[in-house]
Amino acid sequence: GAGVSQSPSNKVTEKGKDVELRCDPISGHTALYWYRQSLGQGLEFLIYFQGNSAPDKSGLPSDRFSAERTGGSVSTLTIQRTQQEDSAVYLCASSLRGGGATNEQFFGPGTRLTVL
Amino acid sequence: RKEVEQDPGPFNVPEGATVAFNCTYSNSASQSFFWYRQDCRKEPKLLMSVYSSGNEDGRFTAQLNRASQYISLLIRDSKLSDSATYLCVVTPQGGGNKLTFGTGTQLKVEL
């Protein structure tokens, strides 16, 4: 079946512009996660959605970052007034449900964001 | 101190060798433990979960030592296709909804 998909695969933008990154989770997965991976750094948790519960936003680095998940499916990560340090690969993952060692997270291919 | 620490490598080993990776985590209340594999410019994929009793999947063996807050991965009879970055991952107490990743250990298996 179809895995997690993300778009665009690459995004180059100028400093100060806003960007939107999209994630389509695996059908039927109730949990959705955003991470980012900067060069030489480990993956960093950003935000987590579980069903209709309030999202866990504890990993968002600043108020320029926000995310939505509409209808319990597609999610959009928005970065306003982008800065060069926002350059990274943004990875989305989904799992059948949140929590528990057996709820494997499946990752999408990522969006490589470059801020000039 | 980072929450999850790994030797970045690279580990260059000949085909057929046995190689071991170690990982330490700082939060003693961590709940769940995993090894993920990430190929160059690809997304991470779950390799195996790690249990207190230890677990084995073919050529791969994972061990957890809660007292020492230490996780290991052993790869026997390494193949060229094992070349990748191996990520040590833990989750916080209370559930597995937020993965905390180490920076990864790079393995290169050579002829």
Side-chain angles (χ1 to χ4, degrees), chain B residues 31-77:
Chain B
Q31 186 86 358
S32 305
F33 309 88
F34 310 92
W35 283 101
Y36 272 70
R37 170 190 169 133
Q38 187 173 26
D39 292 288
C40 188
R41 299 180 78 87
K42 297 284 190 181
E43 69 274 21
K45 293 184 180 178
L46 179 66
L47 178 66
M48 57 198 306
S49 300
V50 188
Y51 305 116
S52 296
S53 55
N55 49 307
E56 186 174 314
D57 182 3
R59 297 181 294 108
F60 299 82
T61 301
Q63 297 276 351
L64 166 65
N65 184 322
R66 284 190 183 269
S68 301
Q69 294 176 213
Y70 170 97
I71 306 160
S72 66
L73 176 68
L74 183 77
I75 305 176
R76 290 182 299 279
D77 188 25

Side-chain angles (χ1 to χ4, degrees), chain A residues 17-23 34 46-47 49 60-69 75-82 86 90 113:
Chain A
K17 295 284 180 68
D18 297 352
V19 295
E20 283 190 354
L21 312 180
R22 177 186 166 106
C23 172
W34 283 97
L46 296 176
I47 188 169
F49 296 90
L60 295 179
S62 78
D63 59 8
R64 296 186 296 103
F65 288 72
S66 63
E68 289 184 338
R69 188 178 185 195
S75 177
T76 302
L77 177 69
T78 301
I79 309 173
Q80 296 178 307
R81 305 182 301 283
T82 52
D86 300 335
Y90 289 81
L113 175 66

